[in-house]
Amino acid sequence: MKHDIGRPLRSHRVLSMAGLLAVMAVIFVADTVTDYAVAAAGFYTAVILVAVRLISARALIILAGLCIFLTILSFGLTKFGSYQVGLINSCISIIAIAITTYLALKMNAAQAAAQQAQAQLLRIARVTSLGELTTSIAHEVNQPLAAIATSGNACQRWLDQQPPNLDKARQAVERILGDAHRASDIIARVRGLTRGELPHKSHFDLNQAVLEVLAISRSDVEAHGIVIAVSLDENLPLVVADRVQIQQVIVNMMLNASEAMAANPDKKKEMKILSARRDAQTVQFTLVDSGSGFATGTMAQMFDPFWTTKGSGIGLGLAISRTIIEANGGRIWAEQNPDGGAIFQFSLLSAKENTL
Ligand SMILES: Nc1ncnc2c1ncn2[C@@H]1O[C@H](COP(=O)(O)OP(=O)(O)OP(=O)(O)O)[C@@H](O)[C@H]1O
Ligand SMILES: [Mg+2]
């Protein structure tokens, strides 16, 4: 059943109004039988203040009119006290009823406006989060889609050869299928993330996950003249996190590093990828680049959604990465590389029997 928020239920309203009419009757009798000096009519203002929550604006004005009419009637029927005092008291009561009604109606209108604004805000928030969801998905599937296009072109070339190289073409199709699965996995995870769903945590080898990402993006990175140095701790314990999501974070970091290094074509382009045990409970991933680095003051803002210094950037890569890492119980941060460039790191909880 639909019910106007902020207004009591209909049955409750009818009962309350009956009670208020009874109170009005009591006020009327008290105002009539007592001395002119007793301004019982002033209590009608309390009736107005209660009634404003129960009835419409028009009904409230009628009720106020009735209160004023009863005040005048009481004044006419009262037999005791000074007539002049009675006249002044009745006028004060009438003015009080009129002002209370006016203010109550204003207050009600303001409340209704506030409620409407709140509803509109909710609608806007929903549309905005929908926009953010679509942009996030677009951002995250960009990489697998580009890979699909590359493999598609390669496949076409292998098939165009005389005779066609079917083995190579089959491998390209396999890569396309792998990337398509990855894209749909990513869409599911991003949707889950924006809906506040918990990550699909499992115990996995972070080194293995890093190597998989490298296998996918290495040729692309190296094509930009970047040298990748990998140093993975062989004795790394398993971590507890959502594997697909963590790989997304690594892809985002690598993309940013490549972009930061592309900004200065004359500089040596080096990307170091490291994994290490941080302490007994945590494992750490580090990506060092020799790119542009960043201004000291920008470190806190970099992880905010839509904060970008790139002409064609959306500013979502790091915001998504932070959401992912924090949802997986880890921490992500950036530091200046003393040799020039940036250092991005995240830590994750290492696996223990009871952490899943
Ligand atoms: N490796 C890096 N070196 C220097 N600055 C960086 C690096 N990574 C990120 N930044 C800074 O942080 C900003 C935000 O990065 P983020 O990945 O969130 O967005 P973006 O790369 O600008 O756009 P996109 O949404 O396409 O990823 C960048 O615009 C850049 O200024
Ligand atoms: Mg980015």
Side-chain angles (χ1 to χ4, degrees), residues 185-325:
D185 270 354
I186 288 172
I187 291 172
R189 300 303 160 94
V190 176
R191 282 183 63 194
L193 209 64
T194 49
R195 278 204 226 117
E197 277 173 20
L198 291 175
H200 300 193
K201 285 189 185 174
S202 66
H203 290 180
F204 68 91
D205 179 358
L206 181 64
N207 289 344
Q208 199 53 45
V210 172
L211 291 174
E212 255 175 47
V213 173
L214 278 172
I216 298 161
S217 14
R218 185 165 215 142
S219 55
D220 210 34
V221 173
E222 287 176 342
H224 289 94
I226 298 168
V227 178
I228 305 181
V230 185
S231 164
L232 304 176
D233 182 348
E234 280 175 16
N235 299 315
L236 211 61
L238 297 182
V239 293
V240 195
D242 185 318
R243 199 172 192 275
V244 175
Q245 288 186 340
I246 300 305
Q247 286 185 319
Q248 273 176 260
V249 174
I250 299 170
V251 168
N252 282 337
M253 283 186 171
M254 285 180 69
L255 266 176
N256 278 346
S258 305
E259 285 163 359
M261 288 189 277
N264 189 351
D266 302 331
K267 223 172 143 189
K268 196 172 76 179
K269 296 176 184 169
E270 225 174 19
M271 191 187 289
K272 282 187 212 144
I273 291 175
L274 305 105
S275 71
R277 187 193 275 260
R278 189 174 161 81
D279 52 44
Q281 285 90 35
T282 48
V283 162
Q284 184 169 309
F285 171 88
T286 306
L287 197 152
V288 185
D289 70 53
S290 61
S292 54
F294 37 77
T296 321
T298 56
M299 238 181 279
Q301 288 157 299
M302 268 187 315
F303 293 92
D304 288 345
F306 304 113
W307 193 88
T308 181
T309 54
K310 299 170 195 166
S312 57
I314 311 171
L316 270 183
L318 289 179
I320 294 173
S321 301
R322 181 171 63 179
T323 310
I324 288 177
I325 295 294

Side-chain angles (χ1 to χ4, degrees), residues 39-294:
F43 290 111
Y44 286 127
T45 53
V47 172
I48 299 290
L49 286 175
V50 175
V52 71
R53 290 207 2 95
L54 306 171
I55 53 179
S56 67
R58 186 195 284 250
L60 191 79
I61 292 169
I62 294 172
L63 189 78
L66 184 62
C67 291
I68 290 172
F69 171 74
L70 291 177
T71 308
I72 296 168
L73 191 63
S74 289
F75 174 65
L77 294 175
T78 300
K79 296 193 173 70
F80 318 102
S82 150
Y83 182 82
Q84 226 171 359
V85 170
L87 188 66
I88 292 170
N89 277 349
S90 297
C91 284
I92 291 173
S93 298
I94 289 169
I95 292 169
I97 293 168
I99 291 176
T100 307
T101 310
Y102 173 76
L103 291 178
L105 285 174
K106 276 262 172 206
M107 183 184 76
N108 228 18
Q111 264 173 357
Q115 247 174 43
Q116 210 178 346
Q118 199 180 21
Q120 201 170 357
L121 209 65
L122 272 177
R123 254 197 317 275
I124 292 170
R126 230 172 284 141
V127 173
T128 313
S129 60
L130 201 65
E132 222 166 281
L133 170 66
T134 354
T135 329
S136 303
I137 290 177
H139 184 276
E140 296 302 278
V141 293
N142 213 15
Q143 198 274 333
L145 287 186
I148 288 173
T150 311
S151 305
N153 287 335
C155 183
Q156 212 162 18
R157 276 199 307 277
W158 295 125
L159 290 175
D160 283 347
Q161 275 189 358
Q162 286 308 329
N165 190 331
L166 292 180
D167 202 36
K168 291 276 188 195
R170 189 183 48 78
Q171 284 172 18
V173 170
E174 269 168 18
R175 279 201 305 277
I176 290 176
L177 285 177
D179 283 320
H181 282 307
R182 206 153 56 83
S184 76
D185 270 354
I186 288 172
I187 291 172
R189 300 303 160 94
V190 176
R191 282 183 63 194
L193 209 64
T194 49
R195 278 204 226 117
E197 277 173 20
L198 291 175
H200 300 193
K201 285 189 185 174
S202 66
H203 290 180
F204 68 91
D205 179 358
L206 181 64
N207 289 344
Q208 199 53 45
V210 172
L211 291 174
E212 255 175 47
V213 173
L214 278 172
I216 298 161
S217 14
R218 185 165 215 142
S219 55
D220 210 34
V221 173
E222 287 176 342
H224 289 94
I226 298 168
V227 178
I228 305 181
V230 185
S231 164
L232 304 176
D233 182 348
E234 280 175 16
N235 299 315
L236 211 61
L238 297 182
V239 293
V240 195
D242 185 318
R243 199 172 192 275
V244 175
Q245 288 186 340
I246 300 305
Q247 286 185 319
Q248 273 176 260
V249 174
I250 299 170
V251 168
N252 282 337
M253 283 186 171
M254 285 180 69
L255 266 176
N256 278 346
S258 305
E259 285 163 359
M261 288 189 277
N264 189 351
D266 302 331
K267 223 172 143 189
K268 196 172 76 179
K269 296 176 184 169
E270 225 174 19
M271 191 187 289
K272 282 187 212 144
I273 291 175
L274 305 105
S275 71
R277 187 193 275 260
R278 189 174 161 81
D279 52 44
Q281 285 90 35
T282 48
V283 162
Q284 184 169 309
F285 171 88
T286 306
L287 197 152
V288 185
D289 70 53
S290 61
S292 54
F294 37 77

